[in-house]
Amino acid sequence: MTIHKTNKDDTKTQASDVKTSRVSLQDRNIYSYHLDELEQFVTPKFRAKQIYNWLYKHYAINTESMKNIPKNLQEVLQQAFSFPNITPIRIEESNDGTKKYLFQTNDGATFESVFIKMREKEYDENNRVKKGEKYTFCVSSQVGCRVGCVFCSTAKGGFVRNLSAGEIVEQVVALKRDNNLDAHKSINIVFMGMGEPLDNLNNVAKAIKILSHEEGLCIATRRQTISTSGIAPQIERLGAMKLGVQIALSLHAVDDALRSRLIPMNKVYNIERVLEALRNFPLDTRKRILFEYLVIKDINDDLGSAKKLVKLLHGFRAKVNLIPFNPHAESEFQRPCPEKMQNFADYLYKKGIVATIRESKGIDISAACGQLRAKQIKMQ
Ligand code: SAH
Ligand code: SF4
């Protein structure tokens, strides 16, 4: 970490610098605040930018390390805000570099985030770096989930609470810090950890704005993907916010009977209703809507389903991601055989649909969402 040289005058506190002490904050988590908001608490304005710089470019864990911030402003910040607010209590690392973190919040709730190395550094024949490493962070939006999908480990623990915007942002800071990733290293974010992001839309939207702020982590919104089980009106609300994020729908079934069995919310917003909401979703010109299709042995892995899927997606700029079901103790479903998945993907491809099979990153750790937390709870 580079410590900025401090200008002597810089460390003198003006009376106006301590404005923060008069503000009573509902949420003490410092990562919940957009730069514009911090600027209202701290004057002169440039101090807020400096604080942002310490938080997001240097991943500061206390105010004492904020060398160019005057001592009494440091103290005021320490009293007004809290950080860190999430603590890793368990980390599992896979052979492929995937790391799964179990975090604990200040009120004792636990949730997961996953650090995924998508690509290793590549060198050319002269040993020069041809391509940099690629990382994706999978973050949680809630502790538990209300949707209750039958195949999902997160659902088994029920719903505990929404994560605040700060707790969402802090996952990204903590993963960058723990893996020594430079502030400028670009990463992708997927809201595919625990919880239904559209059931916590206000906090998720705020987190996206903070994560993408140019003075902060500067993660472009087109590099952030929200995955949803399909709360149709919330998809429309998200679209109207024009954040520029990508959207992924957990479709998993091609008929309402099976989808309602897997995702109970389908009884409220069925396939047709969800697809209608997606048709109007504002898309970056180069991007497609991602349809996630969880492939479960003997449930939805047949070519008949692939055929229906092609029909359903007619008219969409779609990309299908086939996800092999990840077995766990709380479900009787089984992993599909690789040949069947390949046939499914080949069929989609033949019909002109971009389809990928999700590599099971971190298969040797508790890879699918909620599984590490379930394990921890069992051990207690
Ligand atoms: N609630 C959102 C985002 C979090 S779940 C959603 O449902 O889209 C992220 C993804 O993990 C979803 O596509 C979900 O279907 C998938 N998932 C859940 N349990 C799984 C399991 N056991 N194996 C593989 N994928 C699973
Ligand atoms: Fe919730 Fe997503 Fe799990 Fe369904 S799959 S229970 S929506 S986290």
Side-chain angles (χ1 to χ4, degrees), residues 64 81 126 212 258:
E64 292 93 78
F81 296 104
N126 300 318
S212 59
L258 178 61

Side-chain angles (χ1 to χ4, degrees), residues 167-233:
E167 287 165 334
I168 297 169
V169 171
E170 206 171 340
Q171 295 172 55
V172 180
V173 177
L175 263 53
K176 275 200 136 184
R177 183 195 293 123
D178 196 57
N179 293 283
N180 297 316
L181 291 198
D182 188 83
H184 302 288
K185 177 75 205 160
S186 103
I187 54 156
N188 293 315
I189 293 179
V190 291
F191 286 84
M192 292 183 187
M194 293 174 71
E196 168 51 55
L198 296 190
D199 188 31
N200 184 18
L201 182 53
N202 291 345
N203 290 345
V204 167
K206 183 153 191 206
I208 287 167
K209 285 183 192 159
I210 296 170
L211 290 168
S212 59
H213 199 288
E214 54 189 10
E215 296 289 342
L217 289 165
C218 200
I219 303 164
T221 54
R222 71 188 147 75
R223 293 189 174 277
Q224 302 188 42
T225 302
I226 291 189
S227 173
T228 178
S229 53
I231 312 179

Side-chain angles (χ1 to χ4, degrees), residues 77-335:
L77 286 175
Q78 194 71 53
Q79 277 167 19
F81 296 104
S82 78
F83 68 106
N85 305 277
I86 60 170
T87 318
I89 55 168
R90 195 173 167 148
I91 303 173
E92 289 190 354
E93 186 164 0
S94 163
N95 296 333
D96 61 18
T98 302
K99 279 190 193 171
K100 190 154 200 173
Y101 290 76
L102 184 67
F103 284 109
Q104 185 162 42
T105 61
N106 285 344
D107 61 355
T110 51
F111 66 88
E112 302 170 7
S113 318
V114 192
F115 171 89
I116 307 163
K117 202 178 212 177
M118 302 295 284
R119 187 178 69 200
E120 294 285 349
K121 210 178 253 178
E122 289 174 19
Y123 297 90
D124 65 12
E125 58 282 2
N126 300 318
N127 224 15
R128 278 187 306 238
V129 178
K130 198 167 72 179
K131 282 181 184 164
E133 313 96 306
K134 257 176 91 176
Y135 300 100
T136 295
F137 293 3
C138 176
V139 299
S140 291
S141 55
Q142 297 179 315
V143 180
C145 184
R146 258 192 276 255
V147 180
C149 303
V150 290
F151 50 80
C152 175
S153 202
T154 299
K156 305 295 171 204
F159 175 75
V160 180
R161 71 165 172 88
N162 282 332
L163 288 178
S164 67
E167 287 165 334
I168 297 169
V169 171
E170 206 171 340
Q171 295 172 55
V172 180
V173 177
L175 263 53
K176 275 200 136 184
R177 183 195 293 123
D178 196 57
N179 293 283
N180 297 316
L181 291 198
D182 188 83
H184 302 288
K185 177 75 205 160
S186 103
I187 54 156
N188 293 315
I189 293 179
V190 291
F191 286 84
M192 292 183 187
M194 293 174 71
E196 168 51 55
L198 296 190
D199 188 31
N200 184 18
L201 182 53
N202 291 345
N203 290 345
V204 167
K206 183 153 191 206
I208 287 167
K209 285 183 192 159
I210 296 170
L211 290 168
S212 59
H213 199 288
E214 54 189 10
E215 296 289 342
L217 289 165
C218 200
I219 303 164
T221 54
R222 71 188 147 75
R223 293 189 174 277
Q224 302 188 42
T225 302
I226 291 189
S227 173
T228 178
S229 53
I231 312 179
Q234 293 293 78
I235 294 175
E236 285 156 355
R237 258 193 78 205
L238 174 69
M241 288 178 175
K242 300 238 162 33
L243 294 175
V245 287
Q246 305 307 313
I247 187 131
L249 173 72
S250 291
L251 184 60
H252 307 339
V254 289
D255 63 78
D256 281 321
L258 178 61
R259 194 162 192 272
S260 297
R261 203 181 118 203
L262 299 176
I263 309 173
M265 212 192 26
N266 191 71
K267 291 177 202 139
V268 186
Y269 306 112
N270 66 13
I271 296 179
E272 200 187 312
R273 174 72 184 90
V274 176
L275 293 184
E276 178 198 304
L278 284 174
R279 270 199 187 90
N280 305 316
F281 193 84
L283 268 190
D284 189 315
T285 42
R286 289 164 302 167
K287 296 284 180 178
R288 297 166 189 273
I289 290 181
L290 182 65
F291 290 89
E292 297 166 277
Y293 189 90
L294 182 69
V295 189
I296 310 173
K297 187 177 180 197
D298 297 336
I299 300 285
N300 62 357
D301 56 354
D302 57 300
L303 280 183
S305 298
K307 222 172 180 174
K308 280 194 196 152
L309 185 56
V310 172
K311 272 199 184 141
L312 270 184
L313 300 187
H314 182 75
F316 277 103
R317 254 186 14 238
K319 180 180 163 183
V320 174
N321 194 7
L322 300 172
I323 312 170
F325 174 72
N326 206 342
H328 53 91
E330 289 126 326
S331 173
E332 297 195 336
F333 289 141
Q334 288 170 24
R335 202 178 177 77

Side-chain angles (χ1 to χ4, degrees), residues 342-361:
Q342 194 57 55
N343 291 344
F344 201 111
D346 289 346
Y347 181 83
L348 297 180
Y349 188 75
K350 255 195 340 231
K351 296 290 169 185
I353 292 184
V354 183
T356 51
I357 296 179
R358 184 188 286 175
E359 261 182 86
S360 284
K361 290 271 181 197

